């Protein structure tokens, strides 16, 4: 095919795809019939591409100390109202991780505010090494899978953390629209740098996760459709998206926010659209969905998500890690979250993939599953 003709065909099929994503995202709460149809289609793709199993990633929010000032975020550096700035000590993190291992959560996510200081990075590397070493068992000989979510770092740091034993990394683009990205971040943060960080992560060997917030002021359906095309272009393995929820200390104006029913539908339709377009990736039903309605995460799973992240952060610090208002389960202990979640999975007739990393087929297809 001549070059210009091929370019024409590619751009036309991309336009058609974009158009169909826009159609999915335009289905409102007043059209349950079309929403159910989209849901059925997303579920079909889910079953075919990644199976019916749901994988758990126990999330440990191990520090809320942050040097960034993202305008939407409750733990931003300049928020003086955070009740306590904390960093869990290594033994505490290890004991939470071992609890995950003992209960069959095959992977965990270590998440924190963003910091680049050497001491912090070294502590993270050390704890990864300890978790990898100590969580090996007969049922899971490679130990827990470890996902990091600690923001933008240098390529050297990514290499160091990968070598320590983490094999997945989550770094949301927040919005792939440059102007919108700039409007929700201070001028010290740049869209280009974020995209470079995503490329660096992939180059360093990580399975790569990213995502956006849904319902940001100034965000249009077209921008969300472009977000999904961006995920495809970046060849992501994992997607984590959730509704934007105002934090009372945020300098962002709540004006023009969607009502929570529309926001929930739009979030579910984003999950479904991502599943249909991206197919064999892992998609998380995020906690923020549950801040909108009590069964928000289960609903996410019935619209194409296949991963969920039970909170295993010690209850003593949970309330200090509030990225947004109304974060659920602040009083609960991890044992309670465990029992609660098992019931929730039964309610939607989904099996849980225990003692298994649950890597996305997208990440392992064509190459042997990464084993350490
Ligand atoms: N410091 C890490 C982890 C950030 S918290 C990092 O920068 O990657 C994880 C995610 O929570 C963010 O990427 C953001 O998308 C989401 N988040 C933060 N504030 C939020 C809010 N007010 N509503 C919804 N999601 C929010």
């Amino acid at each position: 095919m001549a070059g210009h003709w091929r370019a024409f065909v590619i751009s036309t099929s991309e336009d058609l795809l974009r158009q169909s994503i826009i159609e999915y995202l335009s289905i409102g709460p007043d059209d349950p019939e079309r929403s159910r149809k989209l849901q059925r289609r997303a579920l079909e793709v889910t079953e075919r591409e990644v199976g019916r199993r749901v994988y758990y990633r126990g999330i440990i929010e191990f520090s809320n100390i942050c040097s960034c000032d993202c305008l939407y975020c409750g733990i931003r550096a300049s928020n003086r109202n955070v009740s306590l700035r904390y960093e869990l000590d290594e033994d505490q993190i290890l004991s939470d991780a071992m609890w995950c291992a003992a209960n069959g959560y095959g992977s965990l996510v270590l998440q924190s505010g963003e910091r680049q200081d050497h001491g912090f990075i070294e502590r993270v590397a050390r704890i990864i090494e300890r978790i990898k070493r100590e969580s090996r068992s007969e049922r899971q000989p490679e130990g827990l899978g470890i996902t990091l979510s600690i923001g933008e770092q240098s390529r050297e740091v990514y290499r160091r953390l990968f070598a320590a034993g983490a094999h997945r990394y989550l770094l949301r683009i927040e919005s792939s629209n440059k102007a919108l990205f700039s409007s929700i971040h201070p001028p010290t943060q740049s869209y280009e740098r974020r995209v470079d960080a995503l490329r660096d992560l992939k180059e360093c060997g990580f399975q790569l996760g990213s995502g956006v917030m849904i319902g940001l002021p100034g965000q249009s359906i077209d921008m969300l459709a472009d977000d999904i095309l961006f995920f495809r272009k970046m060849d992501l393995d994992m997607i984590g998206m959730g509704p934007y929820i105002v934090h009372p200390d945020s300098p962002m104006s709540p004006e023009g926010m969607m009502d929570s029913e529309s926001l929930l539908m739009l979030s579910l339709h984003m999950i479904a659209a991502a599943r249909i377009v991206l197919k064999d990736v892992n998609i998380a039903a995020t906690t923020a969905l549950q801040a909108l309605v009590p069964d928000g995460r289960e609903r996410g799973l019935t619209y194409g998500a296949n991963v969920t992240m039970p909170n295993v952060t010690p209850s003593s610090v949970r309330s200090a890690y509030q990225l947004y208002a109304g974060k659920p389960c602040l009083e609960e202990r991890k044992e309670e979250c465990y029992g609660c979640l098992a019931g929730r999975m039964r309610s939607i007739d989904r099996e849980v993939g225990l003692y298994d990393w649950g890597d996305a087929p997208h990440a392992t297809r064509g190459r042997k599953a990464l084993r350490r």
Side-chain angles (χ1 to χ4, degrees), residues 72-73 111-114 149-151 170-172 174 213 243-245 247 321 323-324:
Y72 44 85
C73 184
Q111 189 178 80
S112 71
E114 183 172 313
S149 173
I150 60 168
L170 303 173
L171 181 64
R172 288 190 182 175
E174 315 296 359
M213 284 179 286
Y244 164 61
I245 298 168
H247 188 284
Y321 200 89
L323 309 175
Y324 45 82

Side-chain angles (χ1 to χ4, degrees), residues 212-240:
V212 295
M213 284 179 286
I214 300 158
L216 287 163
Q219 189 180 44
S220 65
I221 296 286
D222 290 21
M223 290 178 194
L224 289 167
D226 287 335
D227 289 336
I228 293 185
L229 296 175
F230 172 85
F231 299 160
R232 192 170 77 140
K233 190 177 90 194
M234 295 302 288
D235 194 26
L236 298 181
D237 304 301
M238 298 127 39
I239 311 291

Side-chain angles (χ1 to χ4, degrees), residues 119-136:
F120 173 74
I121 299 301
E122 281 312 302
R123 286 195 295 282
V124 176
R126 210 162 42 227
I127 193 66
I128 294 169
E129 284 161 358
R130 283 182 72 187
I131 294 171
K132 288 306 287 187
R133 211 170 34 240
E134 300 197 23
S135 64
R136 290 173 206 271

Side-chain angles (χ1 to χ4, degrees), residues 177-192:
N177 181 285
K178 228 168 118 172
L180 185 57
F181 182 97
S182 303
S183 77
I184 59 171
H185 290 105
T188 43
Q189 275 171 261
S190 105
Y191 176 80
E192 286 77 12

